[in-house]
């Protein structure tokens, strides 16, 4: 079950249970919100892919709810900020997987596909964020 926190204006937030269906649902709600903002054609595939990677990482390592947040910041036209939060305090680190590794490429994909990305600790857990350029 999705807990929609806010989907009005320039910010949308959702909370998902730590459940494998969260990945598919997160992709769907991100695409729907980007469609509502008129950004699905330009950012839908990339944003959905990167959200999938980060939600999957959260599912693999955390046991609590997963938050997804989209922000179109005032004062930063042309930028979409995407955040994925989970209750695990350990910050992820980018690594170089071996060719035969079945995982470990998510943060590489985020780093190579976004303008900027990073992590920040929270009161309860952490947030991994990235910025996408909104075509003008």
């Amino acid at each position: 079950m999705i807990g929609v926190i806010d989907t009005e204006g320039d910010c949308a937030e959702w909370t998902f249970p730590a459940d494998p269906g969260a990945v598919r649902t997160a992709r769907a709600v991100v695409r729907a919100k980007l469609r509502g903002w008129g950004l699905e054609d330009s950012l839908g595939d990339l944003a959905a892919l990167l959200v999938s990677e980060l939600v999957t990482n959260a599912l693999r390592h955390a046991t609590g709810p997963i938050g997804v947040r989209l922000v179109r910041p005032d004062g930063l036209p042309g930028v979409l900020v995407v955040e994925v939060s989970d209750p695990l305090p350990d910050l992820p680190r980018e690594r170089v997987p071996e060719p035969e590794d079945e995982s470990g490429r998510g943060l590489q994909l985020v780093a190579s596909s976004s303008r900027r990305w990073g992590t920040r600790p929270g009161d309860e857990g952490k947030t991994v964020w990235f910025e996408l350029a909104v075509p003008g």
Side-chain angles (χ1 to χ4, degrees):
M1 184 82 185
I2 308 172
V4 176
I5 298 168
D6 176 21
T7 56
E8 297 298 323
D10 293 320
C11 179
E13 297 182 53
W14 303 270
T15 302
F16 305 96
D19 171 299
V23 177
R24 180 179 58 249
T25 307
R27 277 195 309 263
V29 299
V30 165
R31 281 185 176 282
K33 189 59 183 181
L34 292 177
R35 186 178 316 113
W37 283 343
L39 299 175
E40 185 184 25
D41 290 343
S42 58
L43 296 177
D45 289 340
L46 181 57
L49 173 65
L50 299 181
V51 164
S52 291
E53 291 294 330
L54 294 180
V55 171
T56 298
N57 284 352
L59 284 171
R60 291 184 72 164
H61 302 288
T63 58
I66 299 163
V68 175
R69 184 171 186 246
L70 305 179
V71 182
R72 296 172 68 185
D74 289 340
L76 286 176
V79 173
L80 175 70
V81 178
V82 180
E83 302 174 339
V84 176
S85 302
D86 66 58
L88 189 67
D90 302 332
L91 299 179
R93 58 183 174 79
E94 191 177 355
R95 66 182 185 94
V96 179
E98 295 296 322
E100 64 277 356
D101 288 348
E102 293 183 13
S103 64
R105 292 172 181 80
L107 287 179
Q108 281 187 328
L109 187 58
V110 169
S112 66
S113 302
S114 60
R115 286 179 31 159
R116 298 185 317 146
W117 78 279
T119 60
R120 68 175 181 273
D123 292 339
E124 296 180 19
K126 62 156 169 324
T127 298
V128 180
W129 60 269
F130 60 89
E131 292 180 357
L132 296 177
V134 176

